[in-house]
Amino acid sequence: MLYIKNESNNPYFNLALEEYLFNLDDNENYVLLWQNDNTIVVGKHQNTAEEINSEYVKEKNINVVRRITGGGAVYHDLGNLNYSFIIKGMERADYDFSKFTIPIIKALKKLGVESELSGRNDITIDGKKFSGNAQLVKHGKLLHHGTLLFDSKMDVLSKALKVSEDKFQSKSVKSVRARVTNIKDYMSQAITVMEFKELLLKYMFDEDTELKESQLSEADLNNINSLMKNKYLTWEWNYGESPEFNVKQAKRFASGKIETLSNVKDGIIQDIRFYGDFFGSGNLEEIENLLKGKRYEENDIRSALKDVNVDNYFKNISLDEIISCII
């Protein structure tokens, strides 16, 4: 396992670094511990405009960037620590988060903090979330990354993100704070987030895991900066363009929320987009293109998708459930 030491707090660089390592044609496994300054990171399939409090984001000069994994939007500041595993030899997207969250849980236990995996991809203390996790499997590699709220500013977190009505009955700051917490509040001794980072790196691996520190080369940095410039700094990637629509549907399932925006004219689907915090490795444009030109009717939609492995695009969500989010 190679540990890439990264001191950057630039979210656009950090996500470019992660994708660059994920796409490298090599035989290495990687682990990263990194921080973003004052940033909202939205999931790959989310409609950014509906996930952020745009006025507050602009007022506070909060960065907004999209990641390559599914799941929901999260807030990062320098009181938050992010971790990433990039593992070779993974052919299936089983989304077994426990393989990577259990080392975090064990490390926290060594620091005197009891935590547990909760729901599909969260780690909690006393029922309060401090870590959200996401995964992607592609070309035999797995990317698993997660957040660790150590000493984050909860007031900024709650104001920067919009709270979906299907998650909370109230959009108040209080309802958000009730569900999230900082690890620092449960520590028996006061330490900084940087001290926490070093201790986490020490405790999260078994004794038989050989951890080597590695540095990025000049060529690596040039490639990462190019990816940052051409993708992660662009409006097209971070926001994208939603179609004009006259039909909006949304449902939440155990494996995530799906929202569809459809432009339907004379009963024919002219354009359709899928958004949500679900997981999946497939390119949603493939599904969207299959539905364009089809009648806005269940049988036609079902026929268009009958030969598609929908689990590749919407993990653990059935075809019937997907159709219910369109019609």
Side-chain angles (χ1 to χ4, degrees), residues 283-300:
N283 184 350
L284 288 177
E285 287 186 11
E286 297 170 355
I287 298 288
E288 293 163 351
N289 288 334
L290 285 174
L291 296 175
K292 290 178 184 178
K294 300 298 187 292
R295 290 189 299 171
Y296 187 71
E297 187 269 332
E298 180 179 343
N299 288 338
D300 270 33

Side-chain angles (χ1 to χ4, degrees), residues 91-146:
E91 297 298 335
R92 294 183 56 198
D94 290 330
Y95 297 99
D96 182 0
F97 292 96
S98 65
K99 293 179 182 178
F100 303 95
T101 55
I102 285 177
I104 300 295
I105 292 169
K106 288 181 176 179
L108 288 175
K109 188 169 185 178
K110 292 178 181 178
L111 293 171
V113 179
E114 296 289 337
S115 61
E116 62 179 355
L117 182 62
S118 175
R120 58 179 182 146
N121 61 326
D122 297 338
I123 314 178
T124 61
I125 302 172
D126 289 341
K128 297 178 181 180
K129 175 180 174 178
F130 68 89
S131 176
N133 294 264
Q135 289 185 355
L136 175 66
V137 172
K138 182 180 177 183
H139 302 317
K141 274 191 174 181
L142 178 142
L143 165 64
H144 177 109
H145 54 192

Side-chain angles (χ1 to χ4, degrees), residues 16-267:
L17 163 62
E18 200 177 48
E19 182 178 354
Y20 172 73
L21 293 176
F22 181 61
N23 287 332
L24 274 182
D25 184 15
D26 63 5
N27 292 313
E28 299 292 351
N29 294 323
Y30 297 97
V31 62
L32 306 170
L33 293 176
W34 47 285
Q35 291 175 286
N36 286 334
D37 188 15
N38 206 30
T39 301
I40 293 174
V41 182
V42 298
K44 178 182 179 182
H45 309 302
Q46 291 189 298
N47 185 349
T48 302
E50 293 196 1
E51 299 299 327
I52 67 173
N53 181 344
S54 57
E55 290 185 6
Y56 187 79
V57 164
K58 185 176 180 180
E59 175 190 342
K60 298 297 182 181
N61 197 28
I62 297 173
N63 301 299
V64 178
V65 62
R66 185 185 300 278
R67 62 179 184 266
I68 61 173
T69 59
V74 290
Y75 175 73
H76 295 177
D77 60 18
L78 295 182
N80 174 75
L81 182 65
N82 304 292
Y83 71 99
S84 306
F85 288 100
I86 298 171
I87 306 296
K88 66 181 187 297
M90 306 291 289
E91 297 298 335
R92 294 183 56 198
D94 290 330
Y95 297 99
D96 182 0
F97 292 96
S98 65
K99 293 179 182 178
F100 303 95
T101 55
I102 285 177
I104 300 295
I105 292 169
K106 288 181 176 179
L108 288 175
K109 188 169 185 178
K110 292 178 181 178
L111 293 171
V113 179
E114 296 289 337
S115 61
E116 62 179 355
L117 182 62
S118 175
R120 58 179 182 146
N121 61 326
D122 297 338
I123 314 178
T124 61
I125 302 172
D126 289 341
K128 297 178 181 180
K129 175 180 174 178
F130 68 89
S131 176
N133 294 264
Q135 289 185 355
L136 175 66
V137 172
K138 182 180 177 183
H139 302 317
K141 274 191 174 181
L142 178 142
L143 165 64
H144 177 109
H145 54 192
T147 57
L148 296 169
L149 293 173
F150 183 78
D151 190 20
S152 285
K153 296 177 180 177
M154 294 299 177
D155 56 335
V156 178
L157 181 154
S158 61
K159 293 174 183 175
L161 295 172
K162 287 184 180 177
V163 182
S164 178
E165 290 182 351
D166 59 11
K167 283 192 175 181
F168 307 106
Q169 291 182 346
S170 169
K171 287 189 176 183
S172 67
V173 172
K174 181 179 179 181
S175 67
V176 181
R177 286 178 175 171
R179 286 202 68 216
V180 296
T181 193
N182 278 315
I183 297 169
K184 185 178 180 180
D185 296 341
Y186 298 86
M187 299 285 294
S188 59
Q189 58 182 18
I191 61 173
T192 67
V193 66
M194 299 311 295
E195 290 171 328
F196 172 69
K197 177 181 178 180
E198 295 304 317
L199 288 170
L200 187 68
L201 191 63
K202 176 182 177 181
Y203 290 143
M204 68 192 296
F205 295 101
D206 295 329
E207 292 181 359
D208 58 351
T209 300
E210 186 179 2
L211 190 65
K212 298 179 180 179
E213 186 172 322
S214 181
Q215 300 291 329
L216 297 169
S217 68
E218 185 175 348
D220 291 329
L221 290 171
N222 289 337
N223 288 326
I224 294 163
N225 283 318
S226 177
L227 180 59
M228 175 180 69
K229 178 182 177 181
N230 294 317
K231 180 175 182 176
Y232 286 98
L233 283 171
T234 66
W235 181 92
E236 287 77 11
W237 170 250
N238 293 323
Y239 284 86
E241 186 175 354
S242 296
E244 293 184 11
F245 68 94
N246 49 30
V247 181
K248 179 178 179 179
Q249 299 280 13
K251 285 191 177 182
R252 178 167 292 281
F253 308 102
S255 296
K257 178 181 178 179
I258 295 179
E259 177 180 272
T260 60
L261 301 181
S262 304
N263 180 11
V264 180
K265 183 178 180 181
D266 298 328

